[in-house]
Amino acid sequence: MTNNYTKKHEYPGLLIVIEGTDGSGKSTQINKLKDWLAVESYGAMVSEWKTSALISGAIDQAKEKNLLNANTFSLLYASDFTDRLEKNIIPALKAGLIVLMDRYTYTAYARDVVRGVKPGWVRNLYNFAPTPDIVFYLDMPVKALMKRIIATTGLDYYESGRDIGLSTDFYKSFKIYQARILEEYSKMAHEFNFITIDGNLTINTIHNQIKERVKELINSGAIK
Amino acid sequence: MRLNQNHDLPGTLIVVEGIDGSGKSTQLAILRDWLQNIGQDVIFTEWNSSKLISQTTKRAKKKNMLSPRTFSLLHAVDFADRLEQVIVPALKAGFIVLSDRYAFTAFARDVARGVQPEWVRNTYGFAIKPDLSMYFSVPVEVSLERICSNRQPKFYESGMDLNLNPDPYESYKIFQNRVIEEYDKMVDEYNLIKIDATNTVHEQQVIFRDIVRKKLEEKGCSI
């Protein structure tokens, strides 16, 4: 099967991904990076997980009813991703913009595999996705994550992996689920050359680390 | 992949395939009536009919919002949902499941749209292998005559998204001929049983019934 993961994309723009579990601080970092890029006069665009015009509404509805099995769950998110990829991300990359991705295919590889789909299947499902120029992974231990999530959004049915029947106790279920997700991410860190950053560092320290890497990338002439 | 292995569920999965206007739905309806009349437990399911997503897909089609790949994925969502909610439970409970179109429809149409054959086969890799797959084969002219006696071919069914020809009738012929080509390739790959759908409804049903009867006997279900 053809797999794009062995070669970088050939678009003039830059594809920068930030990955991590819920509550790892991805969105905060994306926003800071975007602001900095604007100051430096680079055109940047953000694309977030599950925001396509085509299908994000249907995903929310289905999740409300808690009626998704693993394959359906996976395919719905792949539809969302593909719609954004074709309508927003690739056109922006072609136009030479810097595209900042809040989650990318790796999120699916982690979540869907934890839900029981085969790692090879879901990687093939996304094999048409361009390989990012750089992937940052915000690594957070489960304990710290739990506190952040409980303090902000609260425990959600799917984020707690309740759909896979790990435990009827929300807290316990969340803990087991997120630990499994973290395990998948750490396996991928090597597989896909993630730049792993300690999510416990301060917001500014993380931002500076990301900024340095992006600066290097831009200075290396990655934007064509 | 599950699609390539025989299932060991007590039920029987019978699918009909073919382009629009091949008469497959008519054949399946007659078969269903017969099976019910002789006291068999039958469940029927059809392409793009899940509560979860079929309305979204229909809306997106009306607005011509779909690329070949999103077209493929939305139909896969629909299929996955029906497979887990309808088909698999019914097979576990010992029903005869009659499916109007199955994964092969995606393999034919999506590849005709330019999606890679391996990719779409992987996407549907979780599908259960049918006990019987009937392919109702009909030339494109007959299909066009049957479905367009009172309307124009629709945008996606005529492959207008591929810019093959500005005339929907011409485009339909080019696109559906590609679909037919893909079906013909699958006859060997997936053991599709090809039936000449230009024969009379009765002639086809007699052949269809005979094949179904043999399959059910083979599975230890005397009728």
Side-chain angles (χ1 to χ4, degrees):
Chain A
M1 190 155 302
T2 51
N3 194 333
N4 286 339
Y5 280 111
T6 47
K7 61 174 201 306
K8 284 252 152 79
H9 68 81
E10 281 164 7
Y11 303 113
L14 271 189
L15 184 58
I16 298 174
V17 174
I18 303 196
E19 276 284 356
T21 59
D22 302 300
S24 60
K26 294 179 302 297
S27 312
T28 308
Q29 291 301 331
I30 293 256
N31 286 332
K32 286 188 79 78
L33 185 59
K34 189 182 179 219
D35 289 347
W36 173 71
L37 286 168
V39 170
E40 298 286 314
S41 306
Y42 289 102
M45 177 201 112
V46 176
S47 183
E48 290 169 78
W49 202 240
K50 194 175 61 88
T51 54
S52 71
L54 178 64
I55 193 80
S56 59
I59 298 180
D60 286 335
Q61 272 177 16
K63 284 175 82 174
E64 258 168 45
K65 292 181 192 146
N66 300 332
L67 43 65
L68 296 176
N69 71 73
N71 290 320
T72 317
F73 186 95
S74 185
L75 289 163
L76 272 173
Y77 280 96
S79 312
D80 177 82
F81 176 85
T82 307
D83 194 46
R84 286 184 295 121
L85 185 74
E86 292 173 341
K87 289 192 185 137
N88 313 120
I89 301 167
I90 289 179
L93 290 174
K94 279 186 181 163
L97 291 178
I98 300 179
V99 179
L100 307 178
M101 301 291 309
D102 187 339
R103 300 186 173 280
Y104 202 63
T105 59
Y106 315 107
T107 286
Y109 304 167
R111 288 184 177 174
D112 298 354
V113 169
V114 167
R115 288 198 156 69
V117 311
K118 295 203 175 71
W121 181 78
V122 63
R123 281 161 177 71
N124 282 329
L125 184 61
Y126 284 93
N127 70 6
F128 55 89
T131 303
D133 293 279
I134 197 163
V135 183
F136 296 103
Y137 168 52
L138 302 183
D139 188 22
M140 286 277 281
V142 183
K143 236 183 168 175
L145 267 180
M146 307 276 298
K147 279 193 178 158
R148 267 199 203 178
I149 296 270
I150 290 170
T152 53
T153 52
L155 299 179
D156 151 277
Y157 185 85
Y158 283 91
E159 273 174 19
S160 315
R162 282 292 300 278
D163 56 312
I164 41 182
L166 297 170
S167 168
T168 50
D169 176 336
F170 250 110
Y171 185 85
K172 214 188 242 172
S173 179
F174 181 87
K175 206 168 157 184
I176 303 170
Y177 176 70
Q178 294 292 351
R180 289 194 188 168
I181 296 276
L182 288 176
E183 207 182 298
E184 290 304 320
Y185 271 122
S186 53
K187 279 187 216 159
M188 283 189 284
H190 180 71
E191 186 184 354
F192 297 108
N193 291 318
F194 290 172
I195 311 262
T196 303
I197 298 179
D198 181 354
N200 275 321
L201 298 171
T202 67
I203 291 177
N204 278 326
T205 311
I206 296 175
H207 174 59
N208 286 331
Q209 289 191 6
I210 291 177
K211 208 165 69 181
E212 285 314 308
R213 290 286 193 158
V214 172
K215 233 186 241 171
E216 271 173 34
L217 194 60
I218 293 173
N219 291 339
S220 75
I223 301 180
K224 282 152 239 152
Chain B
M1 282 194 290
R2 195 158 68 164
L3 183 55
N4 300 319
Q5 297 156 6
N6 290 329
H7 70 80
D8 52 7
L9 304 171
T12 306
L13 177 58
I14 299 173
V15 315
V16 296
E17 287 282 0
I19 61 172
D20 299 308
S22 62
K24 62 189 176 324
S25 306
T26 305
Q27 289 298 330
L28 199 60
I30 304 173
L31 187 85
R32 179 192 191 176
D33 285 345
W34 169 61
L35 288 169
Q36 280 171 338
N37 278 333
I38 58 170
Q40 296 292 317
D41 294 320
V42 181
I43 291 258
F44 169 78
T45 180
E46 63 185 321
W47 199 244
N48 199 26
S49 65
S50 74
K51 275 188 204 145
L52 177 66
I53 195 80
S54 59
Q55 289 312 314
T56 304
T57 309
K58 279 172 193 159
R59 261 199 309 277
K61 278 186 186 170
K62 261 185 209 147
K63 292 186 193 158
N64 305 340
M65 274 176 87
L66 299 173
S67 75
R69 204 182 296 276
T70 50
F71 184 97
S72 180
L73 283 166
L74 287 190
H75 287 88
V77 169
D78 176 82
F79 179 81
D81 191 49
R82 285 184 298 112
L83 187 76
E84 299 304 327
Q85 306 265 350
V86 181
I87 300 175
V88 170
L91 289 174
K92 283 183 179 166
F95 279 83
I96 299 173
V97 179
L98 303 179
S99 184
D100 190 341
R101 298 189 173 280
Y102 202 67
F104 312 117
T105 286
F107 301 171
R109 284 183 180 173
D110 297 349
V111 173
R113 284 210 149 71
V115 175
Q116 298 84 339
E118 305 82 24
W119 183 82
V120 65
R121 280 161 175 72
N122 174 74
T123 300
Y124 282 85
F126 54 85
I128 301 269
K129 184 181 169 186
D131 294 281
L132 267 184
S133 307
M134 310 298 294
Y135 164 40
F136 292 89
S137 164
V138 76
V140 73
E141 292 74 19
V142 176
S143 148
L144 193 58
E145 207 181 281
R146 284 183 186 166
I147 72 153
C148 295
S149 55
N150 54 2
R151 65 166 173 92
Q152 259 205 358
K154 292 180 200 159
F155 187 78
Y156 285 98
E157 76 185 3
S158 51
M160 292 297 281
D161 53 321
L162 304 175
N163 296 319
L164 301 167
N165 192 300
D167 176 55
Y169 292 90
E170 285 309 310
S171 181
Y172 185 92
K173 281 187 209 161
I174 301 169
F175 178 64
Q176 294 294 344
N177 265 325
R178 286 190 190 173
V179 176
I180 290 171
E181 225 173 89
E182 293 306 320
Y183 270 127
D184 284 336
K185 284 186 208 160
M186 283 187 283
V187 168
D188 286 337
E189 187 183 359
Y190 293 106
N191 290 317
L192 307 187
I193 300 171
K194 194 169 172 176
I195 289 192
D196 183 347
T198 56
N199 286 331
T200 68
V201 171
H202 173 72
E203 282 166 338
Q204 293 176 61
Q205 182 66 205
V206 169
I207 298 169
F208 191 9
R209 246 176 232 197
D210 197 44
I211 293 168
V212 169
R213 198 181 285 118
K214 277 183 191 138
K215 177 53 76 175
L216 291 173
E217 271 164 18
E218 203 180 285
K219 293 201 64 153
C221 168
S222 58
I223 53 172

